[in-house]
Amino acid sequence: MAELLQIMVAVVAVGSLYALIALGYTMVYGILKFINFAHSDVFVLGAWVSLVLSVMIISALKLAPGSSPPLWIAPLVLIAAMVVCGLVGFAIERLAYKPLRKAPRLNVLITAIGVSLLLQNVGQLTGFAVAKDDDGKTIATVPFGPSPKRMPSLLPETAAPDPNLAKPLVLIQPVDVFIFVSAIVLMVGLQYLVFRTKFGAAMRAVSFNTETAALMGIRVDRVISVTFVTGAMLAAAAGFMYALKYPGLNQTAHETWVLLGLKAFVAAVVGGIGNVRGAVLGGFLIAFIEFMGMYCFSKYLDPVLHTNMGTNLRDVYVFAMLIFVLLVRPAGILGSQLKEKV
Amino acid sequence: MSDYLLDVRGIGISFGGLKACDGLTVQIPTGGLHGLIGPNGAGKTTAFNLITGVYRTQMGSVTLDGVKVDHLRPHEIAKAGLSRTFQNIRLFSELSVLDNVKLACHCRGRHTLLGTLLRTPRFVAQERAMTARAIEMLDVFSLQHLAGEQAKNLPYGDQRRLEICRALATEPKVLLLDEPAAGMNPSEKKALAQSIKLIREQFKLAVLLIEHDMGLVMDICEKITVLDHGCTIAHGTPSEIQNNPKVQEAYLGEPATA
Amino acid sequence: MSGELQQLVPTMMPSAARALLKGVALPVASALVLGLVMQFVVGPAIGAYPASVALQVGISVMLAVSLNIVNGYTGQFSIGHAGFFAVGAYVGAGISYYAALSGIDPASGQQPSQALSNGAWLVWNDGQNFLFSYGEWRMILASIVGGCVAAGLGYIVGLPSLRLRGDYLAIVTLGFGEITRVLLTQTKPQIFDRDELAATHAKDWVIPPMGGATGFSDIPAYASLMWVWFFVAVMIFFAYRVKQSSTGRALLSIREDEIAARSMGVNITKYKVRAFVLAAGLAGLAGSLYAHTGQVIRPQEAGFQRSFEVIIFVVLGGMGSISGVVLAAIILSILPEALRDLSEYRLIVYALLLILMMIVRPKGLFGVREIWEFWPFTRAKKSEKKVITP
Amino acid sequence: MGENETILEVRDVSVRYGAIRAISNVSFSVKRGEILTLIGSNGAGKTTTLRAISGMVRCTGNVRFMDQEIAGTRPDVLVTRGLCHCPEGRGIFANMSVEENLNLGAFIRSDKHEIEKDKQRVFELFPRIKERLKQNAGTLSGGEQQMLAIGRALLARPKLLLLDEPSLGLAPQLVQTIFKIIREINAQGVSILLVEQNAHMALQVAHHAVVLEVGKVAMTGLASDLAKSDEVRKAYLGHG
Amino acid sequence: MVGRLATVVRRLSLGLGLAASVVAGGVVAIGAANAASEAAQPAKAESKAPIVIGHYGSLTGAEATFGQSTSEGIRLAIKELNASGGIDGRMVELKEYDTKGDPKEANLAVTRLVKSDKVVAVLGEVASGLSLAAAPVCQKAGVPMISPSSTNVRVTKVGDMIFRVCFIDPFQGLACAKFASENLKATKAAMLYDQKAPYSVDLAKEFKKAFEKMGGKVVAEQTYSGGDGDFTAQLTNIAASKPEVLFVPGYYTDVGNIALQVRKLGITCPMLGGDGWDSEQLGKTAGKAIEGSFYSNHYAPDQPDEQVKQFISKYQSAYGGKTPDGLAALGYDAANILFDAMKRAKSTDGKPLRDAIAATKDFKAVTGTITIDQNRDAKKSAVIVEMKGDPLGPKFKARVEP
C-alpha cells in the first residue's frame, strides 16, 4: 500500500510535467495543425536556462557555505526562464515557421526537426562563462556544454527519514508539492486565458477557422505568435520544475529529453490533440500508465517470467496505450472527429 | 425485382439532427436521363454521396440492376457499375490525363504485386489494354492530345470533361453527374448537353444529373426530381416542373402567385 | 460491356520469352552491372573511405526509396519506418550470425570464430570466395527472410492503423517504432560461443539472444558495395515499376484524393496496406543489408531519429519522385561526412541547412516529378501551359 | 460628403486559382448608403469577388474603399477600417457560445459601453439570439446561425457590409425575415454589398444590381430594372 | 515499340547512371580533399613531417561528455610531447572525428582516419559498442588501435592490433564484489544498472557472478535507461528487498540523480559503483546523498603518487581549473603509452608499432602501473575510493590487485 502511494506521488508530479509540456503541443497543433517537434527542446532549454540562472543568482549572492538559498529565488528563476524561452519561441516561430505558413505541413514538420536538432546541438557547445565560483572556476556557461550539471536546490528539502524511527507511510518532498501546485496554477491560468479572455477567444477562433477569424479583425499572425510563445513558456515552466525535481541535468542533446517530450506529445494526442483539457488529462493518464505499468510488471510479471524488464518497458506501456486509444477513439479521449466534406 | 436499372427508395441521412436528405426516391430505367435539382443546400450532393456509398444511408435502399448496393463500400459500388463525377472537380491533379483515365480502368482489372514487380506477361498485356482503352475513351472526348498533361494544368472545361471521361472509363451502368456544367460558358454547356445525350446512346447507360443550369436540365432530362431542404418537393417531366409553383418558390423566392 | 478490358488482355499478351527477358533478365542484369561498376570501378577509384561512405549511402537510398512508396506515392505519413528497418536488420543478422556460428559454413571449413572474422573481411579480397561464397548467399537469403518478416509486421501494423488519417497515423507508426526499439533492448545477451549455442533449447529462443541494449555485433560483413548497390538498383526498379503500374496509379490516386479514388473503384484500405507492406519489406531488406555491412546494430536503429532521417530524404527529394528521393538520400548522407571536419558544429550546420532548404525549396528537389521530366527534350512540352478563362 | 459618394469601387479585378480564372475584369461600384446586389448562377464568381475585395484572395486590379486603395490589404486591417465580410456558410465558430461569437465581432473595439449598446441593438434586430446567448453556436439552427453571423458583423460597426448568400439553406419565411433585417440595417446607414442566389429577393431589397456570368459582369443597372428583365429569369430558371 | 524501348532504356540509363555518378561525384568530392592530403603526405614524410594519430569519440550526442573528456586528455598528452620535442624531433598531430555515439558513424570515422588521413595509430572509443564497430577497420588495415576505456572483454579480441589501457569488466566486477563482501561485510546486495549501456550491463553481470561466488546474494535486480529522470519505481522495489549494499554500475551522469532519490526514498545502505562514477560532477550533483558511498577506479586523486598529482595540476592549468575525470586520465594514458611505444619502435609502421605497444611493461601511467598482457589488455590494479570530505570527493580506501 505504502509503495503504491509512493508511486502515486511520483505520478502526480511527473503527470504535472507531462501535462505542462503537452499543453504546448496541443496549443500549437490546435492553431497551426502541425506537430511541433522542437517543443521538447524548448522544454530542455527551459531546464538549462533555469539551471544557469539559479547558479548565477546564487553565486552573485555569495551565500555562506551550507546555508540554503532564499525562497524568493525559485519564483524569480521560474519567471525568468519562462521569459527567455518565450523569446526563443517567438524567434523560432518568426524565423523558421512563419515563412512556411502556406507550405505543406510536412515541410513545417521537417523544419521543426531541423530546429530541434539546432537547439540540441547549440546547447551542447561549451560557451561563455557566465558564473564563476570562489576559486575562479567556471560553474555555468551559455550555451551549456556537454557535461551534466547540477541544478542548485532552491527549495528546502526534507531530511532523509531517520532509520531508527518508524518509516512514514509515504514520503512527499516539498518539490513535489511545489510542482503540483505551480502546474495547477499555470493550468488554471491557461484555462482562464483561453476561455475567459478576449485574446483566448481570438485563439480559439483562429484554431477553428483562420479565415473567418481574420474577418473578425483578428490579427492571425499575432495570435499564432502569442500561442507559440505561451506554449514555449509553459514548456519552460515544466523545464524549471524538471530541473528542481531531477537536479542532475544531462546535456541538451541527450535522447531522453526527446523521449520525454515525445511522451508529453503522446499525452496531448491521447487527450485529444488541440484540446486544452485533454492535454492535462492525457498528461496525468500517461504518467499513471507509465508508473503503474512499471510497478505492476516488475512486481507481478517479472517473477513469473524470470525476466527483469518491468521497468525497461516504461515507454512500451505509454506507446501501447497511445495505439490502443487511437484505434478505439481515433481523435483522442476528449477530441472530436470532423467529417470531410465531399 | 424492380424494372428500373437504378432504383433508389426512400434513402436518407441526418447529420446531428439536421435531415440532409430525407426519404429520396429516384428510379431510372435503362437509358434514362434523370435530373436532380434544387437550390443550394437542398441535399442533392448528399443524395449522391448516399447512393455512391460515401455516406452510409440510414434508411431506404439502393438497388442497381437488381443488386442491392447500399451498405457496400464505395469501391465495391463503383465496381458494381455506378460511377460519378464531383461538384468541385476531384481529378487526381498531379497525375497525367491519361493516368487519370487509366486509373478508372482499374476496377475492371486484376492487380497483383508480384505481377507488377516482375512485369509478367499478364501484367504487361493488362497495362497495354488499359492504355488502349484509356486512349479510346479520351478520343471520345477529344482529349487525346492532352494525354501527357498533368490534370491540374487543364483548362476548366476540359477538367470537367475529363472527369466525365474518367467516370465512364469505369464501365458504369449508371452515371451520376454532379453539376457538370458549373462554370461553363453557354457554348460549352451546349456541347456538354450534346455529349451527355451522346454518351447515353453510345454507352447505353442511365444518367442521373445534378445541375443548376435549368436550361440544360430542362433540355435533356426526361424526368426531374426537385429537392429542397432534403425533401422531395416535386417530381415529373420538365414542363411539369417548370410550371410547378412550389419549385418557383423554392428557386426564385417568389410567392406562388407571382 | 464490363469485362471488355479483360477480354482485351489475352490478345495483347507478349511472347513469354520476351516478357521474361524484359521483366526479369534486363533489370537483374542492369542491377548487376551497377553493382559491379560500384564494386570494381567506382569503389577502387574513390578510395576505401569514400567507398565505405558509398556503402552507407546505398542503405540510405534503399530506405528513402522504400519509404517513398508509403509517404510519397500513397501520401500516408509514416514515421515508424526505422522500426521495419531494425526488424529486418535483426532478423537478417540473427540468421547470418548464428548460422555462421553454428559452423554450417562448408565453404571455408574453418573454425566458426575464424570463419566469422574471415567471412567478414575476405569476401572480395581472397579470390577463392569470389562472387558466390556461401556467406553471401546466406546473407541474401537472410535478407529476404528479414524483408519478409518486416513485411509481415508491416501488415500487422498497417491493417488496423491505416484506418487513421494524417497525423494520427503518423503518431501510431511513431509509437510502433518506439515499441520495437524498446522490445529490442529486451532481447537476451548475444551468444559468442559455439558450445554455448549448441547447448541452447528452443525455449531459450522465445526471447532471442540478440544482445539487448548492448547491440548485436560480429555480424559477418558480406554486404559489399556490389551487393548493396545491386539491391539499390533492384529497389529502384521495383519502385519505378510500382509507380508505372495500375497499383502505382491506385496509390497515387489515394494521395491525390481518397474520395475520388474510392469512387473510381480503388479499394483504398487494400492499397494502403499493400504500400505499407511493400515499403516495410524493402526497409527490412535494407536493414538486413545494413547489418551485413559490418556494423554493430543496436535497438536505436528502430528509434524515431532514424525514421526522421528517412522522412527528410523523402520530403526533401519531393514526395513521390524516385529520382528526387534518391538524390536527396545521396546528398544528405554524404553531407554529414563532408561536414565531419567541423566536429561538434557539424550537426548545427546540418540543421541550419535543413531549415534553409525547406524554406527555399518547399516542394522538394523535384516536386513529384522525376528528374528526366526536367530534361531539355521533354521540357518543351511542359512549358506550353495555358491559362484559359472558363 | 455627398449623398451619392462612392464607398467602394472595384475596377478590373481578376482572380486566378492556378490555371483557372475565376473572375476577370470585374468592375462595379457601391454608393454610400445603398444596397448593391451581386447575382448570378453557381460558379459565376460572386463569392470570389467578395473574397477579393476583403483581401482573402489575391487579385489583380484596383479596389478602392473610402478613397483608399485596399487591394491586397489583410482582412483584419480592413475590419478596423469599417469593411466587414460575412462569409458564405456563415462562418460561425461552432466551438464557442453565441455570446462569445458576438464578442468576437467586436474584437477590434474596446469601448465597452458602446459595445453593450450595439449588442442591445443586435438583440432588438434578432430577439432569438438573445434567448440563446449561452448556447453553443454550433447547436443553432441555420437561420439562427445566419442571424448570429449578421449580428456579429454589425458589432464591428461596419461602414460597408459584405454579405455572402445570407439566404442559403433557409426556409422561405426565414429568408423573408433576413431580408427585412438587411433592409433595416441598411436604413441605419450601413452600405451593403449583397451576394445572392435568390435573385428575386435580392433584387427586391437592392438599389443596384450586378449580374455575373462565368466570371464576367453581364449586366449592371437598377435593381428594379433588372428584376423585370427576362435575361435574369432565363439565367435562373431556364425559361425560354 | 522500338521508340518505347528506347525511352525505357534512356530513362534507365539516365536514372542508374545518375545515381552512380552522383554517388561517385559526391564521394569523390569528399575524397578530393583527402586525396590532396594523401598526395601531400609522402613528400613530407622524408623530412620531419608530423606524425598523425587519430581519435574518434562521441563529441556530440548523449555521450558527448565521454568523448570530450577523452579528447582533452589526449590533447594534453600531445601538447606535452610536442613541447618536449616530439618523437625523434617529429611533432605529433591529432585528427579527431565525431561519432555521435553511433556505430555507423564510428566505423566511417575510423575508416576515414585510417584510409584517408593515413594515421599511424588510432585512439578511442569510450563505449565498447562503438569500439567493436570500428576495431575491425583498424585490424584489417594493420593500424594499431588503443581504446582508452572500453572495458568489454571482446574489444581486444577483434585482433592483434587492438589494445586497451583500462582494466576489463570481469576484473572490476570482481574488485567491487570483493570490496562489498570483505570490507563492507555485506551479504545482501541490490543492483540497479543502465540496461542501455553495455558497460553497465556487463559490470552488473560480473559483479553478480563474483558476489554470489563469495557467498553473497543479489536480492534485487533493477534496471533503468541512461538519462531517465525518475527511478521511483525501481527504488521502491529495491527498498522492499532491504539490501546491505546497493551496486549501481552506471555513469555519473545518472548516478547523481539516483543517489538523490535513493536517499529521499529512505534507503540508507552504502552505494557502490564502477569507474563510470568518476567525475568531479558526481559530488556536485549528488551532494550529501553520495557521501559514504564507494566506487572502484583507476586511481584516486589523493594517492600519494607523483604521476597523479602532476597530471591533475597540468590538466587544471590547461582546462580552466577543471578536475580531470577518469576518462580524461585514460585518454592521457592511452596517448602516452602510444608515444612510449613509438619511441621504442623507432617506426610508425603498423607492425613494429604494434609489437612495441604489446611489449609495454610496467609503464608508469596516471591510472596505475600498466603492463599489456598477451590478450592486449592492460594489467593493472584497481583502487576503491570513498566519497567523503569537504569538498566532497573520492578518497583512497583500498587497493585490489589483479
Side-chain angles (χ1 to χ4, degrees), chain E residues 202-223:
Chain E
D202 289 342
L203 204 48
K205 201 172 78 190
E206 298 298 341
F207 173 84
K208 187 177 178 185
K209 222 194 276 171
F211 189 67
E212 289 186 339
K213 216 183 240 168
M214 290 166 196
K217 190 168 183 303
V218 173
V219 289
E221 210 179 318
Q222 291 287 317
T223 58

Side-chain angles (χ1 to χ4, degrees), chain C residues 114-155:
Chain C
Q114 253 180 318
L116 273 180
S117 61
N118 283 353
W121 309 111
L122 294 181
V123 177
W124 283 100
N125 301 345
D126 67 352
Q128 11 170 323
N129 278 347
F130 180 62
L131 185 53
F132 303 111
S133 76
Y134 278 90
E136 284 170 292
W137 281 118
R138 197 166 50 213
M139 168 188 79
I140 289 167
L141 187 74
S143 299
I144 290 170
V145 175
C148 290
V149 172
L153 197 64
Y155 184 76

Side-chain angles (χ1 to χ4, degrees), chain A residues 3-4 6-7 10 14 121 124 126 136-139 146-150 157-158 160-161 163 167 171 173 175 242 244-251 253-256 291 294-295 298-299 308-309 311-312 314, chain E residues 59-65 68 193 195-196 221-230 232-234 236-237 239-240 252-254 257 260-261 263-266 268 280-281 284-287 316 320-323:
Chain A
E3 286 172 17
L4 263 178
Q6 193 65 56
I7 282 170
V14 175
N121 287 288
Q124 236 190 11
T126 306
K137 276 199 207 170
T138 304
I139 47 174
S147 68
K149 302 245 160 40
R150 152 126 199 192
E157 290 188 37
T158 51
K167 206 164 175 263
L171 292 159
Q173 298 290 325
V175 63
Y242 183 90
L244 275 190
K245 184 158 171 61
Y246 311 114
L249 292 192
N250 280 309
Q251 74 276 26
H254 204 286
E255 59 219 49
T256 32
F291 280 81
M294 283 198 284
Y295 175 75
S298 39
K299 190 164 172 107
N308 190 22
M309 55 191 188
T311 44
N312 297 335
R314 64 196 299 174
Chain E
L59 303 174
T60 62
E63 279 118 37
T65 159
Q68 298 205 354
Y193 58 92
Q195 53 107 13
K196 227 166 68 181
E221 210 179 318
Q222 291 287 317
T223 58
Y224 64 95
S225 284
D228 280 355
D230 200 290
T232 313
Q234 292 95 321
T236 313
N237 288 335
Y252 68 91
T253 46
D254 298 311
N257 273 335
L260 286 166
Q261 289 179 39
R263 300 302 177 223
K264 277 181 189 164
L265 285 169
T268 50
E280 64 168 348
Q281 290 295 335
K284 286 189 187 164
T285 313
Q316 283 183 331
K322 203 156 72 172
T323 308

